[in-house]
Amino acid sequence: MTGVPLNWSLPWFDGWPRWGKHLDVAQIDPPADASVGQWLTITEVADRMALPVSRVKQLLRDRKLLGGQRPDGSFGVPAAFLDGDQVVRGLHGTLTLLFDCGFTDVEALRWLFTADDSLPGSPIEAIAAHRCSEVNRRAQALAF
């Protein structure tokens, strides 16, 4: 085998990433935090979805769900991203589109919760109302 052997004893490597203050996650600014409204912890999301916490973390890693570190230091997921015990239908596609357009996690959160007179309401409200096509057209226009 060629190459440099992987050294797991490096001082900066302390095991697998953890959620919260030890993981590099987006820091939500206070105005974006306020626009979201209700936030849920990973445990609360897991309880609502009847999933193990590890599965919720996988949804976050796969960017099928989005969260961030709030100004108070806690990690949260917007409650608006859940519809009962499921992720809001269409959210994953819109998130993929926003990230492909170059949005950061914080920019995507801010955009999803900012009112748009042409929708009307915010993009996340339109997604929850099954109007993903309209939201995605607006997101695609942002790339140009």
Side-chain angles (χ1 to χ4, degrees):
M1 182 161 102
T2 61
V4 178
L6 188 57
N7 183 356
W8 294 105
S9 64
L10 294 171
W12 51 265
F13 183 81
D14 65 349
W16 295 106
R18 293 173 295 210
W19 293 95
K21 62 184 178 184
H22 300 290
L23 183 67
D24 291 330
V25 295
Q27 174 72 40
I28 308 300
D29 57 346
D33 182 68
S35 71
V36 168
Q38 183 184 6
W39 290 85
L40 301 171
T41 65
I42 292 177
T43 305
E44 291 169 333
V45 173
D47 290 344
R48 282 184 63 179
M49 296 181 72
L51 294 172
V53 170
S54 61
R55 179 66 179 122
V56 173
K57 290 179 181 180
Q58 185 65 47
L59 291 171
L60 290 161
R61 279 191 300 271
D62 292 344
R63 292 188 149 183
K64 293 181 179 179
L65 196 57
L66 182 62
Q69 187 174 355
R70 299 184 61 207
D72 66 4
S74 65
F75 184 86
V77 174
F81 288 168
L82 296 182
D83 181 15
D85 63 350
Q86 299 289 318
V87 175
V88 170
R89 186 173 173 204
L91 178 64
H92 173 60
T94 302
L95 288 174
T96 299
L97 185 58
L98 291 171
F99 296 136
D100 287 350
C101 289
F103 276 57
T104 65
D105 290 1
V106 173
E107 291 168 337
L109 274 170
R110 192 177 298 124
W111 186 81
L112 285 165
F113 286 92
T114 300
D116 183 341
D117 293 335
S118 67
L119 282 173
S122 67
I124 190 61
E125 291 169 343
I127 293 169
H130 308 291
R131 297 191 329 244
C132 294
S133 300
E134 296 174 51
V135 173
N136 290 345
R137 276 193 293 275
R138 284 163 181 77
Q140 284 174 327
L142 297 172
F144 296 108

